[in-house]
Every structure is written in structure tokens, then in C-alpha cells.
Amino acid sequence: MRPEVAAFRELDTLVRNLTEQLAGYRRRALAGESRVRELEHRIGELETVLTATKSAATVGSGHSSDAVSTDASAVAADNEDLRARLAEAKERTTQLADRVRFLRQQLMHGAER
């Protein structure tokens, strides 16, 4: 077998593997972005609940201030937890996007040769 044919076959195999990896990274990035949107939505809901709870506390809707304070603390803790998870998901999504960008560059660089 001629050396250029063997090199082409090896390159073809590498490109196929990189394409499969790229597809996997893309799926993971899309899943991560979906999770980020979900967490952002949940944070918005919790902030709405927290605002409503605070409003109810100031209006004096019959709740004891201890119960409202406990509810507000629980919502605030939930909110903080979600913010931390959102930041982590955002970081992972950024890392995946960087990997995909690198693989695309490698794929393009390999195609130019």
C-alpha cells in the first residue's frame, strides 16, 4: 500500500473520531445550556416567592414574623444554592464550548494539510 493512502486512511479515521467526539461535546453543551435556562427560570420563581413573602410580611397579612422570617430564610438559602449550581453549570458549559472550539480548530487545521 502506498504511504499516502495509508496516511489518508489514518487521517480519515482521526477525523471520524473527532467528529464523533465533537457531536458528543455538542450534545453535552446543549444539555448544559438547557439546564442553565432551567435553573435561571427556577431562580426567577424563587425570587418572586421571596418578594411576595417579604411583601406579605410588611403588609401584616396575619402571618407571624417568625414564620415569615423562616420562610424567607429557606427561600434565600434555596436561592443561594441555585445560584451556586447555576454558576457551576455555566462554568461546565463554558469548558465544553472551549473544547468544541478546540476540536473544530483541530479539525479545520487537519483539513488544510
Side-chain angles (χ1 to χ4, degrees), residues 80-111:
E80 194 59 38
D81 179 51
L82 287 172
R83 285 187 191 277
R85 290 171 55 191
L86 178 62
E88 183 180 325
K90 193 174 191 176
E91 176 65 26
R92 285 188 300 204
T93 302
T94 301
Q95 288 174 352
L96 284 173
D98 290 343
R99 288 179 185 168
V100 168
R101 190 176 307 110
F102 172 76
L103 288 172
R104 283 185 180 159
Q105 289 172 350
Q106 293 301 310
L107 183 63
M108 296 303 277
H109 184 68

Side-chain angles (χ1 to χ4, degrees), residues 4-48:
E4 59 269 5
V5 172
F8 180 77
R9 285 187 180 167
E10 181 181 356
L11 178 62
D12 185 53
T13 301
L14 291 173
V15 169
R16 286 176 201 256
N17 289 338
L18 283 174
T19 303
E20 290 171 8
Q21 285 181 348
L22 180 62
Y25 289 138
R26 182 168 171 25
R27 281 191 301 275
R28 288 176 61 189
L30 291 173
E33 289 170 354
S34 173
R35 181 70 175 140
V36 166
R37 282 191 299 276
E38 176 187 326
L39 291 173
E40 286 174 339
H41 178 72
R42 181 71 176 131
I43 286 172
E45 289 175 347
L46 289 174
E47 286 175 342
T48 303

